[in-house]
Amino acid sequence: MITDLIRRVIGSPADRLIKKMQPNVVRINGLESRYKPMSDEDLRACTADFKQRLGNGQPLDELIPEAFAVVREAGRRTMEMRHFDVQLIGGQVLHRGMVAEMRTGEGKTLVATLPVYLNALAGKGVHVVTVNDYLANRDAEWMGRIYRALGLTVGTVLSAVRDETSKRAGYACDITYGTNNEYGFDYLRDNMKFSIEQYVQRGHHFAIVDEVDSILIDEARTPLIISGPTDDTVDKYELIDSVIGVLQKELDFVVDEKQRQVSLTDEGVDKLEARLGIDNMYDPHNMEVLHHVNQALKAHYLFKRDKDYVVQPDPRSGDGKLKVVIVDEHTGRLMYGRRWSDGLHQSVEAKERVAVEAESQTYATITFQNYFRMYG
């Protein structure tokens, strides 16, 4: 009750922050009469003037009123959309690297044009991050009219485009639209190259992340990974799977459903050693066999068909072969192309009697948090 009373008197931290931004809104509104009579050429020339002033050492934040006013005027001319005062505040929030919460229909796509233009003036590239290729392409065309009218270049990096020349051209633009996955994978691919000249990205200056809760929280559990096949054979998975059937639950192994673990008992170890012709399962030379036994037990007793995975053809491969496709535990969506690591996926494939694909090794990996932390 006391906390509510204090909040009503002095406002919440967000209220106080917004109040500090209000003078800039007044300045932006006051500049409208300066830019409205300008010709399109004169309005475009403002961009070169801003860049020169930045080059002469003027702080970027001092340009906020003029830059935002120019973008507002360009939006009115090219799209017949004039930024509301509340959107001017949203633009300042995003410029400060904070989260702006906006409901559907409040114009967040338009709000982003303000800090995007302002930070693109530095000439180091601005990345606008969306959740899918459709939105990246749509927003680049839609909001690109404002940027192009002000003399800036706009590009896209889409997952369907694999040509490095096109990718490099997209990143070379003042403003680049793309998805979180594509930015992350392009970074990983760049770091697998032999020289900086082959890179498609040119740095990480400023980014605006759409659906930030989805990208930095929901999807952040799964890191981006680039992997490739190993030289190991897949026969061992089928061999281990063939002997799992001789083991009896509780007698030869114990299943801990809560911890998602399966552990062999002494009886189980003895039985496996006899079936596999091994003297000591825990000998360093046999640790790989023990690992695959544990993974096979997990595949049989912890991972359930039509709950944790389904068996069906992958429509993207086009070969019609049955594959084990993971089901996302949070969304229920089929995760085509994703595979469990450490031989677990191969163990499930052996269990389901589908073609066992070679185990992969990780060449490069990064989490979304670590990737976006690189931006200045």
Side-chain angles (χ1 to χ4, degrees), residues 268-341:
V269 171
D270 293 339
K271 196 175 288 186
L272 282 172
E273 287 174 345
R275 290 299 296 259
L276 295 171
I278 295 174
D279 293 331
N280 181 6
M281 181 80 81
Y282 291 96
D283 187 282
H285 296 293
N286 297 322
M287 291 307 289
E288 185 181 6
V289 176
L290 179 62
H291 172 73
H292 289 307
V293 167
N294 286 328
Q295 295 296 68
L297 287 169
K298 285 183 183 179
H300 276 268
Y301 296 99
L302 290 177
F303 288 80
K304 310 297 182 186
R305 183 170 176 167
D306 296 329
K307 176 180 178 289
D308 299 297
Y309 64 90
V310 297
V311 178
Q312 66 177 45
D314 184 343
R316 303 182 312 169
S317 64
D319 56 15
K321 294 180 180 177
L322 291 176
K323 299 179 186 294
V324 171
V325 183
I326 299 173
V327 176
D328 188 293
E329 62 177 311
H330 302 286
T331 65
R333 294 174 182 162
L334 298 182
M335 302 170 73
Y336 293 109
R338 296 275 181 94
R339 293 177 65 81
W340 289 303
S341 60

Side-chain angles (χ1 to χ4, degrees), residues 152-170:
L152 297 180
T153 55
V154 183
T156 57
V157 285
L158 307 176
S159 58
V161 179
R162 282 284 166 263
D163 178 54
E164 289 200 352
T165 304
S166 300
K167 279 278 181 77
R168 199 172 288 111

Side-chain angles (χ1 to χ4, degrees), residues 14-142:
D15 293 333
R16 294 196 294 273
L17 181 66
I18 290 170
K19 193 173 182 181
K20 288 180 182 177
M21 296 177 180
Q22 202 62 43
N24 268 341
V25 175
V26 175
R27 293 187 192 101
I28 296 165
N29 289 332
L31 290 167
E32 193 164 16
S33 58
R34 180 203 294 183
Y35 296 114
K36 208 167 188 178
M38 281 188 178
S39 66
D40 291 347
E41 291 73 20
D42 289 339
L43 195 66
R44 188 180 299 112
C46 292
T47 300
D49 176 57
F50 294 152
K51 288 182 177 181
Q52 184 176 0
R53 286 159 60 183
L54 278 178
N56 292 337
Q58 185 171 357
L60 186 65
D61 284 1
E62 289 185 9
L63 291 177
I64 287 176
E66 293 170 88
F68 280 27
V70 164
V71 174
R72 175 193 258 183
E73 179 59 26
R76 189 186 66 80
R77 294 185 188 189
T78 58
M79 305 174 63
E80 297 184 354
M81 298 175 77
R82 178 183 175 278
H83 298 73
F84 292 103
D85 287 0
V86 69
Q87 291 174 319
L88 299 178
I89 292 174
Q92 293 179 72
V93 169
L94 291 176
H95 170 64
R96 292 188 179 204
M98 305 171 80
V99 176
E101 183 179 3
M102 300 184 69
R103 293 183 179 86
T104 301
E106 288 189 331
K108 61 184 177 181
T109 310
L110 186 65
V111 167
T113 58
L114 299 163
V116 165
Y117 172 78
L118 176 67
N119 286 274
L121 294 172
K124 298 177 182 177
V126 168
H127 296 168
V128 184
V129 187
T130 64
V131 291
N132 58 54
D133 280 349
Y134 166 75
L135 288 175
N137 210 28
R138 184 203 71 176
D139 292 353
E141 288 298 319
W142 192 18

Side-chain angles (χ1 to χ4, degrees), residues 211-271:
E211 305 286 358
V212 70
D213 53 340
S214 172
I215 291 173
L216 290 187
I217 299 175
D218 298 343
E219 295 185 28
R221 285 181 294 266
T222 307
L224 298 175
I225 298 173
I226 292 181
S227 58
T230 64
D231 296 330
D232 294 343
T233 62
V234 297
D235 300 345
K236 57 192 174 187
Y237 297 104
E238 294 169 349
L239 172 64
I240 297 296
D241 189 77
S242 67
V243 300
I244 291 297
V246 306
L247 301 178
Q248 298 178 40
K249 192 174 181 180
E250 302 303 332
L251 176 63
D252 298 319
F253 62 91
V254 179
V255 179
D256 187 337
E257 295 276 359
K258 186 176 181 181
Q259 298 294 328
R260 302 280 288 176
Q261 293 293 329
V262 182
S263 52
L264 286 166
T265 63
D266 291 341
E267 290 81 359
V269 171
D270 293 339
K271 196 175 288 186

